[in-house]
Amino acid sequence: MHDYPFVFNLTWLIPLPTALAFFAIIFFTNPKKRLSSNVAIGAVIIAWILSWAVAFAFFLKPELTEHPFDLHVPWLPMGEIAFHMGVAVDAVTAGMLFMVGFVLTMIFIYSSGYMTFPGHLDPKQYPEAAKEGLDPRYSRFFAYISLFATGMLGLVVADNLLMLFIFWEIMGLCSYLLIGFWFDKSYPDPNQITPKQAGLKAFLTTRVGDVLFMMGLIFLFIHAGTLNFQAIFANVEFMEELAAATVTLPVFGAVSWAVLISILIFWGAIGKSAQFPLHVWLPDAMEGPTPVSALIHAATMVSAGVYLIVRMAPLFAASSHGVNGAMTFVAFIGAFTALFAATIGVAQKDIKKVLAYSTISQLGYMFAALGIGAWVAAIIHLLVHAFFKALLFLGSGSVIHGVEHGHHHVHEHGHGHDDEHGHEEYFDPQDMFNMGGLLKRMPITGWTFIAGALSLSAFPFITAGFWSKDEILAHAWDGGHMAVYWTLAIGAFLTAFYTFRQVFLTFFGKPRTEAAEHAPESVRAMTWPLIGLAFFAIFGGFVAVPKSFPVFGKIFSDFMIKLMEMQGEFYPFLHVAPAEFHWTPAIISMTLALSGIVVAWLVYGWKPLEAGQPDPLKRWLGPVYTVLEKKYYFDEFYHLIAVRPTLWLASFFARFDRGVIDRIVNWVGAFGRWLAATLRKWFDEYVIDGAVNGVGLVTTWTGAVVRLIQTGQAQTYLLILLLSVAVLLLLIPLR
Amino acid sequence: MTVPLSWYLIFATALFSIGFFGVLARRNAIAVLMGVELMLNAVNVNLVAFWRYLTPTDLSGQIFVVFVFAVAAAEAAVGLALMISIYRTRKSINVDELNELKL
Amino acid sequence: MVGQALFILTAGITLLMALGVVLARNLFHAALFLVGAFFGIAVLFILLEAEFLGAAQIIIYIGAIATLIVFAIMLSRHVMGKEAGAYNRNWYFALAGVVFFFLLLGWLLIKMPFNLVTAEVPADAIAQIGQGFVGHYVVPFEVASVLLLVALIGAIMLARER
């Protein structure tokens, strides 16, 4: 037994406060909005403190990587063995706890400022909420995100795959509830997806991945007899056997069990982390309130997919001794998604959709890193990305909020043109072409957003994003994965371009609408979390600078890299040697990132767009732009192959119902009516009337008899009791 | 140990039945209560007899009898207090005149 | 043989006393018969080598419960209606039911097999009972004391003049 810091024994408490907050809000504080949000924030702060206590206790004793902490209790006895539930702490968990605890807290605080009375609701319908200036379902929102926080924290500390899966599904549920949070919102354009539909879409799309994930779990359990991570990875022989044993599948032929299980589990991650081809749900998930987008669809939930693969990496590595290992598949999906999503991001108009695609793209980087064996780089990019992406999302939320306020301001003090037209023209506060010049109006939001954007574009040397992304690219080059390297490098150029396209369109130039002109800076509950996150988005990378990097390797620390390398060496099959430093890839990626920023400045920053002016890219790219704008028509494609056939089948059955079943039913009915008309006369008079009168007579008579024993005297009842017991006793000898 | 167990059981059954008859047939509430006491005593006899003949080394049977004592004492005290209370409101403690259970 | 004779004698007297309790028209006589029946049962307890219970029986039943009943009879004596009999209308049903119950249960008990154990009663039986109360049965013991307290308070509340 190793000597663990005491605080590890409290790890199981981490998901608890927010779970309690969820129930407290649902059952008790629901009517009091401010109290509800304070309960939720208090709970998440406790969870944050606990998370950091555990994380720093681990960081202070790096030798614990050799002895991962595992605390469990028997939960479900099954014959000889029992299924154990518990918590585990290793370097990955510690890193995740560090990130998740902080980001969750920032987002909770931000939400308390963000969830004001939404623009799409009619204040007359919710007079009380409108007077308070808060969303009518404010308490409910905090209940949901509390439950979500429970899911994420529980997933991180889980010591086995089943528990992880349970929390995974809790998050899936919360994601559905939160995306569809404004379920009564609708748009004038019938083709635009509504929050209700978006929630459904997210839920059903991830379901595809989750079912496959569950199949993988079942197979793994059949073979391993346990789902505990440490127990599986400690048993090297078992994993080698699993990699050697083959199973013959239809279509694919013979594959090893390890490959099959890995790929099934990876499908779970594809669904959750919105990788190609199950990426379609994430951009539409932006229909949810912005803190949700940050919480679920940037920082935490989507990275759960990456976390899952990080956790299961030894199994993936074990499966890849052959040629067609699962790792190749992971690398392909990751790299392809990284580039594919980046191209779509270039042509989006909605400020949040750009970020959504950049999320998909960045998650692709992480999967590509895992696929080429850059385990450490993937973890570090995961942690760093969460900080700057949460920052960007919260910043965009602040922008949207400001523009919406500006719009209302103009509307209220406006020139009365609405009254003349009778109805308000639809205004999209998320369209970047409705913004411009916001840096002057919202300086804190603007500068923090730019900090996040620099990090996302991997601006050299000073941003966290540069160090983590450079690590992935260095590994790709060093390992000789040239296809992956070039895909990711081009992706990096596009990332820098669309990120700064967004920055220039939103914050620079002149305001293109009156709404943008009157947008106020957001309240402090929203700006402070932005500052906190910006700190980590910039400086978070300084603990993960590789030693081999010239000059900077000497200045900064490689603490995180060392820690994760030690952890990776502990697990079997992982090769975590640090990448050699090469000048060529470093200069190429730096040049690409910087040129992306420069190109964006040339297109959007040099001569800012005027109001009403179309995107200049549209002119230059022509039909390609349309294809990108329509996201390669994936929604239409899925609609064609999945949604339409289902609907067609449904309508076929409906026709069958009307044409055949209904006809039979109608015929039976007609026959019945004819029969009834014929028989009515005598049947009614004799049978029905007789029966009715008979029932009445019997009731009267029975009542008269039974009334005799209903004396109201205890002694009579006792006598009946005695006789009844005696009769029951008689049954014993008769038996 | 010359007395068979069944003698005790028969005796207890007889005592129980007599007590039960009192409960069922007497009109006076105090007499009913006395019947109940007889029934409880019959149960005690059973408990002690079973203890003596089946598990003489384990004294749980005797301990249960003491609990029955406690319940009997509580029942007598509350029962008699109830009668005084009923007498105040009804000027009678004849149980066949008490039919509050009937609406 | 002596034991059997003693049992038959005690049991017979006790049953006669019990019959007296339910048959006596005068309630005061019934209460006196009840005291006799309690005493007979105490003797039976001693025959069963449960001396502690025999003593407790005399103290609790005769000393407390019977006295309480006698008090209640004396308090309510002037309301005893002589106009109606001692039994209610259904007494013959009750008699038939009770006799049937007795025969059936007695027959079942005679037929039923028991695993008889012949062993001596431990010499320190009373000490063991005492330890049982403060050891293994401490929770029921405490509950019983709470029950008695509640009964005490309840009786006072019920009987209080309002």
Side-chain angles (χ1 to χ4, degrees), chain B residues 14 20 26-27 29 36-37 45 57-58 64 76 81-82 86 92 94 99:
Chain B
F20 205 172
R26 293 295 294 241
R27 290 181 68 225
V36 173
E37 296 297 342
V45 171
T57 49
D58 180 359
F64 264 88
L82 266 174
I86 291 169
S92 163
N94 284 350
N99 55 357

Side-chain angles (χ1 to χ4, degrees), chain A residues 402-408 410 427 434 438 513-520:
Chain A
V403 172
E404 207 166 22
H405 270 269
H407 179 64
H408 280 285
V410 174
F427 173 78
N434 287 337
L438 286 174
T513 56
E514 280 184 78
E517 207 168 335
H518 293 92

Side-chain angles (χ1 to χ4, degrees), chain A residues 41 70 73 107 119 220 471 476 574:
Chain A
I41 291 172
D70 196 350
V73 290
I107 292 170
L220 185 62
E471 188 67 6
L574 291 180

Side-chain angles (χ1 to χ4, degrees), chain A residues 697-717:
Chain A
L697 276 176
V698 169
T699 312
T700 316
W701 183 78
T702 318
V705 173
V706 174
R707 196 174 56 192
L708 292 178
I709 58 167
Q710 191 75 14
T711 61
Q713 289 174 10
Q715 282 178 321
T716 318
Y717 298 148

Side-chain angles (χ1 to χ4, degrees), chain B residues 4-24:
Chain B
L5 172 62
S6 55
W7 291 19
Y8 279 102
L9 300 184
I10 297 296
F11 165 74
T13 313
L15 194 60
F16 187 87
S17 303
I18 292 169
F20 205 172
F21 175 72
V23 171
L24 289 176

Side-chain angles (χ1 to χ4, degrees), chain C:
Chain C
M1 273 304 130
V2 181
Q4 289 188 353
L6 215 55
F7 172 79
I8 292 173
L9 189 66
T10 324
I13 292 173
T14 311
L15 286 180
L16 284 177
M17 294 284 175
L19 280 174
V21 172
V22 295
L23 296 178
R25 293 202 154 241
N26 187 324
L27 268 185
F28 196 72
H29 294 169
L32 290 181
F33 280 125
L34 186 68
V35 171
F38 288 159
F39 193 78
I41 288 163
V43 174
L44 284 178
F45 282 168
I46 291 166
L47 280 181
L48 282 164
E49 299 176 64
E51 296 84 1
F52 170 69
L53 289 183
Q57 171 84 8
I58 289 171
I59 294 167
I60 296 172
Y61 271 101
I62 300 176
I65 296 177
T67 313
L68 195 64
I69 288 172
V70 170
F71 261 103
I73 292 167
M74 286 159 65
L75 282 174
S76 64
R77 192 154 45 172
H78 56 285
V79 300
M80 282 303 102
K82 288 266 191 265
E83 66 281 4
Y87 301 109
N88 61 23
R89 283 179 291 137
N90 295 328
W91 70 271
Y92 39 90
F93 277 126
L95 184 63
V98 164
V99 169
F100 176 62
F101 179 77
F102 169 66
L103 293 175
L104 194 63
L105 201 59
W107 178 53
L108 281 173
L109 286 172
I110 290 171
K111 270 182 54 176
M112 198 162 287
F114 291 107
N115 295 324
L116 294 182
V117 173
T118 45
E120 289 299 308
V121 176
D124 61 341
I126 296 176
Q128 281 194 31
I129 294 173
Q131 275 165 355
F133 280 131
V134 292
H136 193 243
Y137 290 98
V138 65
V139 174
F141 186 65
E142 294 297 329
V143 171
S145 52
V146 172
L147 173 74
L148 284 173
L149 178 66
V150 170
L152 179 71
I153 298 169
I156 293 169
M157 289 296 295
L158 283 168
R160 205 178 49 163
E161 291 274 0
R162 251 160 290 209

Side-chain angles (χ1 to χ4, degrees), chain A residues 672-685:
Chain A
R673 263 171 39 205
W674 171 79
L675 203 66
T678 328
L679 298 180
R680 192 178 62 197
K681 190 116 180 75
W682 67 267
F683 186 80
D684 220 28
E685 272 173 24

